[in-house]
Amino acid sequence: MIRLTDVGKTFRDTPVLKNLSLHIAARDRVALVGSNGAGKTTLIRCLLGEYGHSGEVRVAGRDPRIDRALVLNKIGFVPQLPPPLAMPVAELVRYASGVSGADPMRVRQVAARLGLAWGEVAARPFVKLSGGQKQKLLIAIALGRDTEVLILDEPAANLDVEARHALFALLAERDQTAMIISSHRLDEVASLVNRVIELDQGQVVLDDRVEDHLEMTGFLAAELTVGRHEPAFAKMMDEWGFAAADALVWRGRVAGPDRLRFLCMVSRYAGLINGLHLDGGET
Amino acid sequence: MNPMILTARLDIQESLRSRWFLLFCLVFGAIVSLLMVSGLTESRVMGFTGLSRLLVTYIQLSMAILPVFILITTVRSVSGDREAGVFEYMLSLPVPLRAWYWGKLAGRFAVVFVPVFVAMSVAVVWGLVRGLDVRWGLFAVYTGLLMALCLCFLGLGFLISVLARSPDIAQAAAFLIWLVLLLFLDLILLGVLIQEQVPPEAVIGIALVNPLQVFRVAALVLFDPQLVLLGPAAFLVLDSFGTVGFLVWAMVYPAALGGVAAWVGYRRFRKGDLL
């Protein structure tokens, strides 16, 4: 679906992407991670045809710089920072739907699932909405039409808990769509992705496919040792189906596809963990 | 619907909500109102009478105000949108670049031309109501001149917006261009050039490529062209070009200049980084 070959981008003699090559298949759900300045946003802008670059970018076999409209019709995009658009919400939706040939009603339906009351916001200028409302609307515009690729830059940053759940449910329904989810919080998107790509100084330094190492039906035996009893941790382990061997040792098993999400969850208690052992041989 | 029409409509609606557009309408509405109230339609000065005098004064004032207004508001909104992140999102939507660029230009043309034209039309209607003689040929020429002027400075504004990477630089460049054109008007620099005995061909050349000078002469050309009114360079230009030839030049050249500038801007916009 997406193929980048030796893609490079330089701003005033400073290379931001360095001969980056990558292939993302139709059902890949990629968490794009990396520190500030790693090149995530530049990579996304190259995919959207907004930056010129060296090398080759292809989305569904086409160059986004040349076949812009065709390529972008296959891509739904949610930016990290909402644009300061003065136009009313209804006008933005009408325009976005108009240029993409989509049905505005679908955008409204997705917005409703995310908890955005259309009647309240339709006539208001986009820029006057709250951060969460803006985010919901941009997500609704991206998901309110049929796309083959979704590029979401920190999509859950401004969402409340309910809207996050709704977003994750909406994304889970798109099982045939390639996704690139850029996020600083890997734990937040861990349940959605099956691949993690880490960028550092314009290069791919990690490309980890979760299902590479384990069958989708496989399990890992896990044992955690903690330094002290912590009720929140105990509750969470209980939710994961772990049993306490004694007050400080927890044993259980983790489904292969959940490995990343489990480790992200455990990382929140890094100060508590004295030992962690995963054994991948279980089926 | 066609993406270019959608983009033009979006730009028109954006402009109608903006403060600069309100100010724009107020300025031109006020100019026409003042001209009507001050009794210009009743006066006879230096060969101009009635409504014609009002129109020629209006077009002269438009020539002074419109270019700088168009340049500054265009570069401010286009460069400002790019810097604020509006382009990042809007250009991620499946709109072809040519539809986006030319749609924005068409929308902007409508919002700068229509108020100026409406204000002039109101003056004509006022004249008709008062029973004054309306010179429709003059009205048509002025409409053409205003269209050419809008196209010219919109094209230049779009080119500057594409080339300049920040709103501040774009604004400074726009102001500088307007100032240079103003300096090369007849009564200022061209007067000095003639005093210094620069060859007439050079003076005519400068006068013919300066769109402000072209508009100024064209606005007066349908009246009795006297040296004291036109200035020395314009007098020379008119002497060698003839009235009809000059009117054609006054409409075709600025429109072509704006069109070429906009086209160069589009080529650059399409080839470079969009953000």
Side-chain angles (χ1 to χ4, degrees), chain B residues 142-205:
Chain B
Y142 282 2
T143 302
L145 282 178
L146 284 175
M147 285 177 87
L149 187 141
C150 291
L151 272 175
C152 177
F153 287 95
L154 266 178
L156 291 172
F158 269 72
L159 176 62
I160 295 166
S161 303
V162 170
L163 295 179
R165 301 311 297 178
S166 80
D168 290 342
I169 292 174
Q171 209 165 319
F175 188 70
L176 200 65
I177 284 177
W178 178 74
L179 207 60
V180 167
L181 295 179
L182 208 62
L183 283 175
F184 277 90
L185 273 180
D186 212 340
L187 298 175
I188 309 171
L189 202 58
L190 283 174
V192 176
L193 287 173
I194 287 169
Q195 264 191 342
E196 297 298 318
Q197 297 196 329
V198 175
E201 292 79 15
V203 176
I204 291 172

Side-chain angles (χ1 to χ4, degrees), chain A residues 178-274:
Chain A
M179 290 182 201
I180 297 175
I181 305 173
S182 173
S183 180
H184 285 101
R185 289 188 60 186
L186 185 55
D187 59 322
E188 203 168 70
V189 296
S191 60
L192 292 170
V193 301
N194 54 18
R195 189 174 170 189
V196 178
I197 293 174
E198 183 180 355
L199 293 185
D200 187 36
Q201 296 186 4
Q203 290 177 311
V204 175
V205 291
L206 172 77
D207 187 352
D208 183 28
R209 292 168 186 273
V210 176
E211 74 270 43
D212 275 354
H213 311 289
L214 280 170
E215 292 285 328
M216 291 300 279
T217 53
F219 284 91
L220 292 154
E223 182 180 289
L224 282 101
T225 309
V226 291
R228 64 176 190 279
H229 175 74
E230 190 67 56
F233 180 77
K235 185 181 172 203
M236 190 269 301
M237 293 311 290
D238 196 43
E239 285 169 5
W240 275 83
F242 276 54
D246 63 49
L248 300 178
V249 179
W250 293 83
R251 290 200 186 98
R253 57 185 205 158
V254 179
D258 282 339
R259 183 184 56 164
L260 179 62
R261 193 162 64 92
F262 176 75
L263 289 173
C264 287
M265 178 277 298
V266 167
S267 70
R268 296 212 299 267
Y269 300 93
L272 205 65
I273 309 286
N274 280 348

Side-chain angles (χ1 to χ4, degrees), chain A:
Chain A
M1 177 53 63
I2 296 171
R3 188 176 291 278
L4 295 98
T5 312
D6 291 331
V7 173
K9 178 67 188 168
T10 301
F11 292 110
R12 291 182 184 169
D13 300 330
T14 307
V16 180
L17 296 180
K18 299 172 187 166
N19 298 325
L20 192 145
S21 294
L22 205 57
H23 175 238
I24 296 171
R27 299 183 66 174
D28 278 0
R29 293 156 173 243
V30 176
L32 186 64
V33 297
S35 54
N36 291 337
K40 302 190 297 290
T41 302
T42 304
L43 174 63
I44 288 173
R45 288 176 177 176
C46 286
L47 287 173
L48 295 171
E50 293 177 337
Y51 278 162
H53 53 79
S54 61
E56 196 177 81
V57 175
R58 292 287 181 271
V59 179
R62 292 178 185 274
D63 185 338
R65 294 282 292 179
I66 297 169
D67 299 316
R68 265 186 67 78
L70 279 172
V71 170
L72 293 177
N73 219 9
K74 297 176 190 294
I75 299 178
F77 170 63
V78 178
Q80 182 179 4
L81 297 173
L85 299 168
M87 68 184 84
V89 167
E91 202 172 296
L92 172 61
V93 171
R94 193 163 46 237
Y95 181 75
S97 304
V99 294
S100 55
D103 178 5
M105 274 309 291
R106 275 185 68 186
V107 175
R108 291 167 64 169
Q109 285 161 3
V110 176
R113 284 185 65 181
L114 289 163
L116 190 67
W118 181 259
E120 285 176 21
V121 298
R124 288 176 60 193
F126 177 81
V127 74
K128 301 276 185 193
L129 302 183
S130 71
Q133 286 173 321
K134 287 177 192 166
Q135 195 80 355
K136 288 174 186 175
L137 186 74
L138 296 178
I139 292 169
I141 291 172
L143 299 183
R145 61 191 172 96
D146 296 321
T147 54
E148 294 173 27
V149 179
L150 282 172
I151 299 176
L152 314 170
D153 200 351
E154 298 282 356
N158 290 312
L159 299 184
D160 52 47
V161 179
E162 283 179 22
R164 274 172 207 232
H165 284 307
L167 169 64
F168 293 164
L170 282 162
L171 293 179
E173 290 168 12
R174 300 255 182 154
D175 57 349
Q176 300 297 318
T177 308
M179 290 182 201
I180 297 175
I181 305 173
S182 173
S183 180
H184 285 101
R185 289 188 60 186
L186 185 55
D187 59 322
E188 203 168 70
V189 296
S191 60
L192 292 170
V193 301
N194 54 18
R195 189 174 170 189
V196 178
I197 293 174
E198 183 180 355
L199 293 185
D200 187 36
Q201 296 186 4
Q203 290 177 311
V204 175
V205 291
L206 172 77
D207 187 352
D208 183 28
R209 292 168 186 273
V210 176
E211 74 270 43
D212 275 354
H213 311 289
L214 280 170
E215 292 285 328
M216 291 300 279
T217 53
F219 284 91
L220 292 154
E223 182 180 289
L224 282 101
T225 309
V226 291
R228 64 176 190 279
H229 175 74
E230 190 67 56
F233 180 77
K235 185 181 172 203
M236 190 269 301
M237 293 311 290
D238 196 43
E239 285 169 5
W240 275 83
F242 276 54
D246 63 49
L248 300 178
V249 179
W250 293 83
R251 290 200 186 98
R253 57 185 205 158
V254 179
D258 282 339
R259 183 184 56 164
L260 179 62
R261 193 162 64 92
F262 176 75
L263 289 173
C264 287
M265 178 277 298
V266 167
S267 70
R268 296 212 299 267
Y269 300 93
L272 205 65
I273 309 286
N274 280 348
L276 168 63
H277 181 76
L278 290 174
D279 187 2
E282 267 193 49
T283 54

Side-chain angles (χ1 to χ4, degrees), chain B residues 15-248:
Chain B
S15 299
L16 294 181
R17 280 188 295 271
S18 64
R19 268 173 287 191
W20 75 260
F21 182 74
L22 183 69
L23 183 67
F24 187 70
C25 292
L26 282 175
V27 166
F28 283 94
I31 288 173
V32 163
S33 306
L34 279 174
L35 292 179
M36 289 191 295
V37 169
S38 62
L40 269 176
T41 49
E42 314 295 331
S43 60
R44 172 186 287 271
V45 181
M46 300 182 87
F48 305 126
T49 59
L51 195 63
S52 304
R53 179 165 159 73
L54 186 148
L55 289 181
V56 79
T57 311
Y58 176 72
I59 205 87
Q60 294 276 338
L61 288 170
S62 300
M63 191 207 75
I65 301 166
L66 204 53
V68 71
F69 220 109
I70 293 174
L71 280 173
I72 298 294
T73 55
T74 302
V75 300
R76 264 183 70 87
S77 69
V78 177
S79 308
D81 278 357
R82 182 171 52 209
E83 192 170 77
V86 171
F87 275 25
E88 184 198 18
Y89 183 68
M90 298 306 278
L91 292 177
S92 77
L93 297 170
V95 54
L97 278 188
R98 63 176 178 282
W100 171 259
Y101 185 90
W102 296 111
K104 277 190 94 64
L105 196 134
R108 191 50 66 106
F109 175 77
V111 291
V112 295
F113 173 69
V114 170
V116 181
F117 176 71
V118 167
M120 190 168 72
S121 304
V122 166
V124 169
V125 171
W126 168 262
L128 285 172
V129 170
R130 302 284 304 264
L132 297 170
D133 180 34
V134 177
R135 286 175 65 184
W136 291 107
L138 187 72
F139 180 72
V141 167
Y142 282 2
T143 302
L145 282 178
L146 284 175
M147 285 177 87
L149 187 141
C150 291
L151 272 175
C152 177
F153 287 95
L154 266 178
L156 291 172
F158 269 72
L159 176 62
I160 295 166
S161 303
V162 170
L163 295 179
R165 301 311 297 178
S166 80
D168 290 342
I169 292 174
Q171 209 165 319
F175 188 70
L176 200 65
I177 284 177
W178 178 74
L179 207 60
V180 167
L181 295 179
L182 208 62
L183 283 175
F184 277 90
L185 273 180
D186 212 340
L187 298 175
I188 309 171
L189 202 58
L190 283 174
V192 176
L193 287 173
I194 287 169
Q195 264 191 342
E196 297 298 318
Q197 297 196 329
V198 175
E201 292 79 15
V203 176
I204 291 172
I206 292 171
L208 285 176
V209 295
N210 181 355
L212 285 187
Q213 173 72 354
V214 168
F215 288 125
R216 186 174 168 277
V217 178
L220 298 169
V221 83
L222 290 181
F223 297 94
D224 183 21
Q226 297 172 41
L227 178 66
V228 67
L229 268 177
L230 291 172
F235 199 74
L236 266 174
V237 168
L238 208 55
D239 199 36
S240 9
F241 241 76
T243 302
V244 176
F246 190 81
L247 279 178
V248 172

